[in-house]
Amino acid sequence: MDTTLRDGEQTPGVSLTPEQKLEIATALSDIGVNVIEAGSAIASEGEREAIKLISEAGLPAECCTYSRARTGDIDLAVESGADSVHLVIPVSDLHIEKKMGKTRDEVFKMAMETTEYAKERELIVELSGEDASRADQDFLKGLFKAGVEHGADRLCFCDTVGLMTPERVKDYIPKLCFAPLSIHCHNDLGFALPNTVAALGAGASCAHVTVNGLGERAGNTSFEELVMSLEKLYDFRTGIQTEKLYKLSTLVSRLTRVPLATNKPIVGAMAFTHESGIHAHGLMKDSGTYEPMHPETVGRTRRIVLGKHSGSASVQAALTELGYKPNGKQLAEIVKRIKELGDSGIKVSDADVMAIADAVMLLECRPVLSMKQFTVVSGNTVIPTASVTMSVNGEEVTGASTGTGPVDAALKVLQQSVSVGGDITLEDYHVDAITGGTDAVVDVTVKLSRDGRVITSRGARTDIIEASVEAVLSGMNRLLRRENEDRSTDTD
């Protein structure tokens, strides 16, 4: 029984339109859910409209509405076209006395009368004990037994504030199965899933769940986590089309505007994402090494992300997927730069990887020019000045230059320093921040010309000056190397 549209919608800040509820209900029915708690008919006109839309949609799933022990609630359920009512009765003394201001006998009588009233109107009744985990279990047992005698089709044990343990569940549940029994758990202490699994093992025949574990406070038992726990750990076929789980999860997240935790099991962004070099290497040989299930089983795909834990195998795999084929030396340099970014606390995106690969693969293994060192001084009290020491055709050249800014100074001194190899002109300079933030990878593109030949080159670093120097140096090498190759050809 999925209660995303009722208990899940009680998540603070969540409010769904009737049309949105119908869209989610359709997806729930399509994936294989048996019962959909579409809302609470007493809550509002919009709720009644949503229940009516769902009940008239011809879905295979049963359409259920939440109901208090009041005949007026039952009448509205009938008017809305619901198939069943989730008839919730407070059963702990705390709820009976403090919330209701009544006695056990009064609540007991209300439960029986409302159950009969609903059955007379041909509704399926699931009689639910609210705060059952804190109730006198003998009182709960008597109420459930009498409820079945008065026509209740199903029963439900509610751990309303998440205080049960699997051990207590196994003790309580077998004594209450006078009819098909549901388990309804909240996740306040993180026990919703294990308590639900324990209840199913102890005799409960139905679980109440919400997509993404939505619900008040810490939420309810997560639909996708329960389904895959039963399927994978207990080899139990739930009848749910698991390959549609991720699509359903993202639909609910989008419509409720409740984002998924990145580390959430099954549907979180990191559930099938790997960075560690050891893990990535193992996955490439056999995905079972570091994954409990194939991501496709739940409608996902595997992702290899890069960072300081990445090894050459995972970087190579990512580059291949992006269409790059670096040689060994280029791959080593790309890995080195990715690790440097990771060590700086930066998340390395695909765009970052592409920018780094483009920059590295334009550098030649035997450059005409190579940088020994460069220094840039800039500030509001000094003229931006850059100095470099380079190797030009094997000869060491040192130079310095000023500019309108640190980048301008750096590029001018580069041009001056390579004049021994031929004049090279900077035709165009363009910079992009690949990702947002002050620590973004900077992608610099330059256009250089010499003797009528024009080439474009790129550099990618987190430092704009380093990226600019790299782009210009790479382009100069290509121009000068091309000339050397031409001369070699002429000699031949």
Side-chain angles (χ1 to χ4, degrees):
M1 178 176 178
D2 185 274
T3 182
T4 302
L5 302 180
R6 198 275 300 175
D7 219 339
E9 196 190 21
Q10 290 175 201
T11 301
V14 173
S15 182
L16 298 167
T17 66
E19 293 73 23
Q20 289 173 330
K21 283 201 168 192
L22 177 60
E23 186 176 357
I24 292 173
T26 302
L28 288 169
S29 184
D30 182 57
I31 204 172
V33 167
N34 306 109
V35 184
I36 299 170
E37 189 171 21
S40 177
I42 191 64
S44 70
E45 182 62 40
E47 281 288 87
R48 292 188 285 278
E49 181 185 348
I51 296 167
K52 194 170 185 64
L53 279 175
I54 293 168
S55 67
E56 294 177 350
L59 304 177
E62 177 186 310
C63 179
C64 179
T65 176
Y66 176 94
S67 175
R68 300 169 298 175
R70 297 184 181 181
T71 57
D73 287 25
I74 302 300
D75 291 336
L76 288 174
V78 173
E79 291 176 19
S80 301
D83 301 309
S84 62
V85 287
H86 179 205
L87 182 56
V88 180
I89 311 296
V91 292
S92 70
D93 289 335
L94 178 63
H95 277 232
I96 292 171
E97 297 171 6
K98 300 296 183 181
K99 187 178 82 169
M100 301 286 288
K102 296 186 180 298
T103 65
R104 288 187 184 182
D105 289 342
E106 288 174 319
V107 167
F108 188 97
K109 183 180 179 182
M110 291 170 62
M112 298 309 115
E113 290 177 349
T114 316
T115 297
E116 289 183 343
Y117 190 82
K119 290 307 299 177
E120 288 169 0
R121 280 145 188 80
E122 300 183 348
L123 289 169
I124 299 168
V125 176
E126 181 160 323
L127 181 61
S128 189
E130 184 180 16
D131 204 27
S133 52
R134 292 189 290 188
D136 180 324
Q137 295 302 299
D138 288 334
F139 171 68
L140 178 62
K141 182 178 179 181
L143 185 142
F144 274 3
K145 187 174 182 180
V148 173
E149 293 170 355
H150 283 74
D153 302 280
R154 302 190 294 256
L155 303 170
C156 180
F157 183 103
C158 293
D159 184 21
T160 303
V161 290
L163 293 175
M164 289 295 283
T165 63
E167 293 78 15
R168 289 175 63 206
V169 166
K170 292 175 184 177
D171 181 39
Y172 289 1
I173 294 301
K175 304 169 186 177
L176 301 171
C177 298
F178 304 108
L181 179 71
S182 298
I183 181 70
H184 180 111
C185 293
H186 282 258
N187 202 38
D188 294 80
L189 293 172
F191 271 57
L193 178 60
N195 283 339
T196 299
V197 172
L200 294 173
S205 52
C206 180
H208 287 199
V209 295
T210 59
V211 176
N212 301 335
L214 289 175
E216 294 183 271
R217 305 181 311 280
N220 293 45
T221 303
S222 168
F223 173 47
E224 57 282 353
E225 291 175 26
L226 177 63
V227 167
M228 294 315 300
S229 293
L230 295 175
E231 295 267 355
K232 187 67 181 179
L233 302 179
Y234 294 89
D235 197 29
F236 180 82
R237 304 281 76 83
T238 60
I240 298 298
Q241 298 182 51
T242 62
E243 69 279 3
K244 297 180 180 180
L245 282 173
Y246 185 61
K247 183 178 180 181
L248 172 64
S249 173
T250 53
L251 169 68
V252 171
S253 178
R254 174 171 59 84
L255 295 181
T256 60
R257 298 183 182 180
V258 177
L260 296 169
T262 57
N263 64 337
K264 191 182 187 308
I266 314 301
V267 294
M270 297 301 173
F272 296 97
T273 299
H274 309 268
E275 178 185 327
S276 168
I278 296 173
H279 285 203
H281 188 64
L283 282 164
M284 290 169 201
K285 293 184 175 180
D286 187 329
S287 62
T289 52
Y290 290 103
E291 286 178 345
M293 68 194 82
H294 294 298
E296 294 77 13
T297 305
V298 294
R300 302 291 305 273
T301 55
R302 181 179 302 110
R303 289 183 63 233
I304 303 293
V305 298
L306 303 179
K308 66 179 181 179
H309 301 111
S310 300
S312 58
S314 54
V315 174
Q316 178 76 71
L319 290 169
T320 299
E321 188 174 333
L322 293 170
Y324 292 89
K325 296 179 180 179
N327 59 35
K329 187 171 183 179
Q330 291 167 340
L331 176 61
E333 177 61 22
I334 293 170
V335 171
K336 176 188 171 190
R337 295 194 188 191
I338 287 171
K339 285 182 177 290
E340 287 173 353
L341 287 178
D343 281 333
S344 302
I346 298 172
K347 294 180 180 178
V348 183
S349 69
D350 285 350
D352 294 334
V353 175
M354 293 171 70
I356 291 169
D358 285 337
V360 169
M361 292 176 72
L362 288 175
L363 295 174
E364 301 299 333
C365 294
R366 294 184 178 179
V368 178
L369 311 172
S370 62
M371 181 68 68
K372 298 292 186 179
Q373 68 83 30
F374 78 90
T375 304
V376 178
V377 178
S378 182
N380 62 354
T381 60
V382 297
I383 298 174
T385 304
S387 63
V388 300
T389 300
M390 301 174 61
S391 172
V392 181
N393 286 323
E395 296 182 13
E396 189 170 287
V397 176
T398 298
S401 180
T402 60
T404 57
V407 173
D408 183 50
L411 299 191
K412 281 183 177 178
V413 73
L414 284 178
Q415 290 175 281
Q416 292 175 8
S417 298
V418 300
S419 60
V420 294
D423 293 332
I424 296 176
T425 304
L426 175 65
E427 301 287 351
D428 188 38
Y429 173 89
H430 181 77
V431 61
D432 286 307
I434 298 298
T435 52
T438 56
D439 58 358
V441 172
V442 177
D443 184 14
V444 172
T445 303
V446 297
K447 185 181 292 184
L448 303 172
S449 65
R450 183 174 188 273
D451 296 336
R453 287 195 294 270
V454 179
I455 61 98
T456 298
S457 185
R458 298 172 71 183
R461 298 280 185 173
T462 53
D463 185 306
I464 189 172
I465 300 173
E466 286 188 40
S468 302
V469 168
E470 177 178 79
V472 170
L473 195 63
S474 174
M476 288 177 169
N477 266 312
R478 290 172 62 196
L479 283 173
L480 295 174
R481 182 172 179 271
R482 173 72 177 273
E483 179 184 344
N484 290 341
E485 288 175 347
D486 289 346
R487 287 175 178 171
S488 176
T489 302
D490 292 341
T491 301
D492 292 342

